[in-house]
Amino acid sequence: MEPAQHPITLGTPTYWKDQIRCQVACPVHTDARGYVRAIAEGNFELAYLIARGPNPLASICGRICGAPCEASCRRGMIDEPIAIRALKRVVTERFGPYRAANNGDKPTLVSGPDHAAYLQNSDTDKICAESDDLMHVIRLYAESLKRPTGQRIAIIGAGPAGLACAHDLALLGLRPTILESEAMPAGMLVLGVPEYRLPRDLIKAEIEVIQALGVEIRCGVQVGRDVTLSSLRDEYDAVVIAVGCKRSRGLSIPGIASKGVYGGVEFLRSVAIGEPVRLGGRVIVIGGGSVAYDVSRTVLRQEQADVSREAARQAGEREVTLVCLESAAEMPAETIDIKEGEEEGVLRKNGWGPVEILTKPGPDGPLVEGVRFRRCVRVYDENRAFRPIYDNTQLVDLPADTVLLSVGQAVDLSFLEKAGDNVRLSAGQIAWDANTQMTSYDGVFVAGDVAYGPKLVIDAIASGKHAARSVYEYCTGARLHRDAVQFHVDLGPYLREPDLDKNTRVPLPALPVRDRIRFPRAIVDLGYTLDEARAEAGRCLDCGVDTLWNTQCTLCGACVEVCPTHCLQMPTLLDLQQQEPFQRLAESDHYHLKKNTVVLRDEDRSVVVAPQARIEANEDMVLFKDEDTCIRCGLCAQVCPTRAISMQRLTFSEGWSCRVNGAARA
């Protein structure tokens, strides 16, 4: 981007942290850059401890996280983002409670108490640890690990939000009890995520670690039937509602109540708990997200399970067609889901919306015979709001024996019927305070999908952790305050991997297609080897490192000449002064212009501007840096004749301190 066209605004105290985009994008602020660089250096155990610190379900996220960190990865501006999720899986498989199989052996499971003790005794040199990292709290409660002795908290729902909330409450010294309506814990992790993506023993292993901290889980307890919300509130010091979106959204079209039309989420649940599911030979799945692909791919595997788990699938016995409004480029499903679904035989029709379920008479009422669709010419408006426009002159009828709906999920709030007017609803959802996550019912909080609708697993974990802190403050009367330290460390001689900007993303190995259908529970994504992981991690740009200038800079231009990505440029100061944002910069309390030189009043260092740009001024020339395209190669520092440029690593640590009646305690 030309400097004269680059947006310039005043920098902020979080400017340097904001450059580590993967960590900023993660809802629990995992230092992804930290564990990726540790993998690149061969320190796999450190990588695991960094990944596990803020995330009690790190092993699970290494398999199925929606990976907002990858979507924000700066490397994606050059070619493809770092495979951050796959790299997390590598280290969790080697140091987590569920250890990867080697040479065909079964995976090794570490007991919950043993792994909790390992975490308690493991100290790490975390370079960029944010406040969501509560693992250090384990050491504060080391003597009471067997059972916390604080206030009793009831958590409704054993999904990722409930588990994360219970984990942090136990670390904070409270006594959480999770009430789960199903016969097994984990919520949609076990009921909605197919086994070919997430091993059930892995889920069990992670939950046992949380239980080892003192969390009690009671399964088969349905609030509204076995207990009421009011009775829980009377018995416990606080209650957290953490139920997930376990119900499929329907469609208001004719024939939707016909036999043979099912919700996709309900279908996945039936398969997970072993309930028989009758499916016809022609199945239509309506929806374009990753859940729709989970449904479609499970249908194909269910056919094999119905016939024989060992016999080869006969082509043509069952046809699965996925139909969605979006074009191929707009589909919300992950690219890997679309690719693997097509490999396994999922057919796809983009740009069509359902109009009517076509039926035929049956002994117990109308039976599905097909679906009528109309062409969707636009899904989103100019503001990216969901406002589809259809061409009603273009219709198509697709034959079907079974229709599975995957057009969204909803929370079942029927358990609140006996709560009276204590819990206020707004537009059919529970009303809650955005700061504390408390509802209108004093002492009752919400976390996860019940609060904001279906999101990623990592969003539910973050919400559960936030609720835990609010519950802690509510029950103890203490106030948690963030304590932060931030500084830069000069790295001295600085070397990077050879051909850093040329190395392409390492492909993720997958199970051969023929084996995926033959063995319905077989894990499809095989994961990286250690060598592959190091190669992929070596592509990381290490955005925690940055180039800093001092007043020895003579603007000779040597750095501009060697910059491989042309992120450094030298326009005249006059060019930038014409911009209104730059004029406000000169008039601010922090910066001033003197002899055509931009100077920082309280510190003799570079002028920080945002977004993603920084400038240095001396006499009539300006050194302009575009952070977006900088690869942190260090060549500029190597050629600087005055050593004005140094490569420095950002280091920061954030933690919590409690204040009770004005006194602070760790």
Side-chain angles (χ1 to χ4, degrees), residues 117 133-134 214 475 639 643:
D133 188 342
L134 283 184
C475 290
V639 301
R643 297 186 179 179

Side-chain angles (χ1 to χ4, degrees), residues 38-189:
I39 292 171
E41 296 165 5
N43 195 338
F44 296 97
E45 184 172 14
L46 174 61
Y48 170 71
L49 293 171
I50 293 174
R52 174 59 175 83
N55 188 350
L57 302 177
S59 297
I60 291 172
C61 287
R63 302 281 186 138
I64 65 167
C65 184
C69 51
E70 290 189 29
S72 298
C73 176
R74 194 189 308 276
R75 180 73 197 222
M77 296 182 174
I78 298 176
D79 42 35
E80 291 185 271
I82 305 299
I84 300 174
R85 177 178 60 197
L87 292 175
K88 176 179 288 185
R89 173 180 170 179
V90 169
V91 295
T92 57
E93 282 186 335
R94 283 156 180 82
F95 293 97
Y98 178 91
R99 309 290 172 86
N102 294 311
N103 301 320
D105 297 333
K106 289 185 178 180
T108 301
L109 301 180
V110 180
S111 74
D114 286 347
H115 196 68
Y118 161 74
L119 294 173
Q120 171 196 344
N121 296 320
S122 297
D123 200 5
T124 61
D125 182 18
K126 296 179 181 177
I127 295 173
C128 295
E130 288 213 24
S131 52
D132 275 299
D133 188 342
L134 283 184
M135 282 311 304
H136 66 282
V137 179
I138 285 184
R139 285 181 283 281
L140 299 179
Y141 292 97
E143 296 180 358
S144 59
L145 273 177
K146 291 183 180 180
R147 185 76 178 175
T149 57
Q151 289 90 338
R152 299 174 66 233
I153 313 299
I155 300 173
I156 305 172
L163 291 170
C165 182
H167 172 275
D168 281 16
L169 284 172
L171 293 182
L172 291 168
L174 277 64
R175 289 187 292 162
T177 298
I178 300 178
L179 307 177
E180 170 57 51
S181 62
E182 299 286 351
M184 62 196 82
M188 296 305 292
L189 293 175

Side-chain angles (χ1 to χ4, degrees), residues 280-313:
R282 298 167 300 181
V283 179
I284 289 179
V285 178
I286 300 177
S290 290
V291 175
Y293 271 97
D294 284 346
V295 171
S296 301
R297 298 171 69 184
T298 300
V299 169
L300 294 174
R301 285 161 172 75
Q302 190 63 18
E303 174 192 8
Q304 185 60 36
D306 291 343
V307 179
S308 169
R309 297 191 183 276
E310 300 298 331
R313 176 174 180 262

Side-chain angles (χ1 to χ4, degrees), residues 631-652:
I631 63 172
R632 278 72 175 164
C633 64
L635 289 177
C636 55
Q638 293 177 26
V639 301
C640 181
T642 64
R643 297 186 179 179
I645 306 176
S646 61
M647 304 301 296
Q648 300 193 18
R649 183 181 298 282
L650 173 66
T651 297
F652 64 83

